[in-house]
Amino acid sequence: MGSKTFLDYFPTNFRHEKSFFLKNNLVDLEKLSNLSEFDLNEIQKKSPLCTLNNLKKIRAIAIFKKEVEISPPEANLLLHCGIGSIKSLSLSTPYELEAKIGRLERSLRVKTESEITFALLKQWIKRAKQVYKSY
């Protein structure tokens, strides 16, 4: 069995977006993270089954992966906690993130599969601040 590609980390409700990206050879992390709002709207026009919300999530996760080196499942967790950009991550504190993740886990009544420690949260925020300053 081959290694997983970036798009393989997305659940089945992203099947239309994954299919579009595969058909159009948009599987490169660099290309996905650089999609503009215009590009996302054009994709939705070409493939109406793709939702703008899912396209934006894929782009945000690609940016987190590329810029801050956060795995797709962890980036998806941040999105579900309301952290949707490098800027919002850089303005957060580890305590806020820990509370948001805990709140999400309690509301969903599940424990996240990845081991997210306080030190890891600090590392993400530090990298996000470095990336945000370089913009």
Side-chain angles (χ1 to χ4, degrees), residues 12-18 20-21 35 37 39-59:
T12 56
N13 61 316
F14 285 83
R15 65 188 172 281
H16 302 297
E17 293 80 9
K18 287 165 55 172
F20 178 86
F21 289 139
L35 291 172
E37 289 295 318
D39 295 332
L40 297 180
N41 287 324
E42 287 299 307
I43 290 169
Q44 193 178 26
K45 285 178 189 173
K46 291 177 187 173
S47 181
L49 293 176
C50 294
T51 67
L52 195 56
N53 190 36
N54 281 356
L55 293 169
K56 286 182 178 185
K57 284 180 182 177
I58 290 171
R59 179 183 60 186

Side-chain angles (χ1 to χ4, degrees), residues 12 29 33 35 40 42 46 63-64 66 74 99 102 106 114:
T12 56
L29 192 62
S33 65
L35 291 172
L40 297 180
E42 287 299 307
K46 291 177 187 173
I63 290 170
F64 279 133
K66 179 184 145 204
E74 293 167 337
R106 286 188 301 280
S114 55

Side-chain angles (χ1 to χ4, degrees), residues 24-103:
N24 292 282
N25 199 24
L26 276 170
V27 294
D28 180 57
L29 192 62
E30 187 74 31
K31 290 179 186 175
L32 292 172
S33 65
N34 289 328
L35 291 172
S36 67
E37 289 295 318
F38 177 78
D39 295 332
L40 297 180
N41 287 324
E42 287 299 307
I43 290 169
Q44 193 178 26
K45 285 178 189 173
K46 291 177 187 173
S47 181
L49 293 176
C50 294
T51 67
L52 195 56
N53 190 36
N54 281 356
L55 293 169
K56 286 182 178 185
K57 284 180 182 177
I58 290 171
R59 179 183 60 186
I61 292 170
I63 290 170
F64 279 133
K65 173 76 175 142
K66 179 184 145 204
E67 301 286 344
V68 191
E69 299 172 14
I70 297 175
S71 74
E74 293 167 337
N76 198 17
L77 178 66
L78 287 178
L79 289 177
H80 284 291
C81 289
I83 306 295
S85 67
I86 300 289
K87 180 182 179 181
S88 60
L89 180 58
S90 71
L91 296 174
S92 300
T93 67
Y95 300 104
E96 291 171 336
L97 287 179
E98 190 174 52
K100 286 181 180 187
I101 291 169
R103 196 174 311 122

